[in-house]
Amino acid sequence: MTRLSVAKWLSIAALFTTGLAGCGAPSEPSPEKVEIGTAYSYKMYTHCGAREAKFAGEYWEAVNTDARQNNSPSGWDDPYQKGTMTRLSETAAVFEAGGSEKRYLLRPGATTFQQVCS
C-alpha cells in the first residue's frame, strides 16, 4: 500500500468511528460538565439492588419510597443494566432502563460507596 492509500483508509476509519460515537446518549461526563436534564449512557451495577451509584465521579444513594425499591426493578439485568442517568438538579438524578426508573440523591463529599456488596 502506498502512503496515500494508507492515509485515505485511516481518514475513512476515523470518520466511521466518530460517527458511531455520536449515536445514542452521550457518554458519562466529568462532574463539572454534567448538564442538568441531559440523559447520559450509564451502566448501573444492579447485583445488590442498585442502592447506590457512582455517576460522573460523584456518589449517589437511591431514594427508597417503599420496600420494593430496595431491589432492582423487575426485568433489569444482573449484575449490570444499561440505561441512562439524567441529573434532574444539583442533588437529584434518575436512572432509566427498560421502561423503569430509579431515583437518586447526591451524597456530597462522599469518596466511596456506603456498602460494598459481595
Side-chain angles (χ1 to χ4, degrees):
M1 256 188 190
T2 67
R3 284 186 189 194
L4 182 58
S5 46
V6 170
K8 181 179 171 183
W9 282 108
L10 288 174
S11 295
I12 291 169
L15 286 172
F16 181 73
T17 303
T18 303
L20 285 179
C23 296
S27 59
E28 185 178 337
S30 59
E32 63 277 356
K33 297 201 180 202
V34 171
E35 292 186 30
I36 293 174
T38 298
Y40 295 92
S41 292
Y42 186 76
K43 201 163 127 182
M44 176 66 71
Y45 183 67
T46 58
H47 184 67
C48 294
R51 290 184 203 113
E52 297 181 80
K54 183 178 181 188
F55 170 65
E58 298 178 297
Y59 290 89
W60 300 77
E61 183 174 17
V63 176
N64 294 318
T65 56
D66 64 47
R68 291 176 296 160
Q69 286 190 343
N70 282 329
N71 296 316
S72 297
S74 178
W76 280 11
D77 291 336
D78 183 5
Y80 289 96
Q81 174 64 50
K82 289 181 182 178
T84 60
M85 184 74 91
T86 305
R87 194 163 188 165
L88 303 173
S89 70
E90 291 297 322
T91 59
V94 63
F95 176 74
E96 297 176 274
S100 295
E101 67 177 38
K102 195 157 187 165
R103 294 184 177 263
Y104 291 83
L105 293 177
L106 180 65
R107 290 180 45 232
T111 58
T112 188
F113 292 104
Q114 293 181 45
Q115 186 176 29
V116 177
C117 167
S118 57

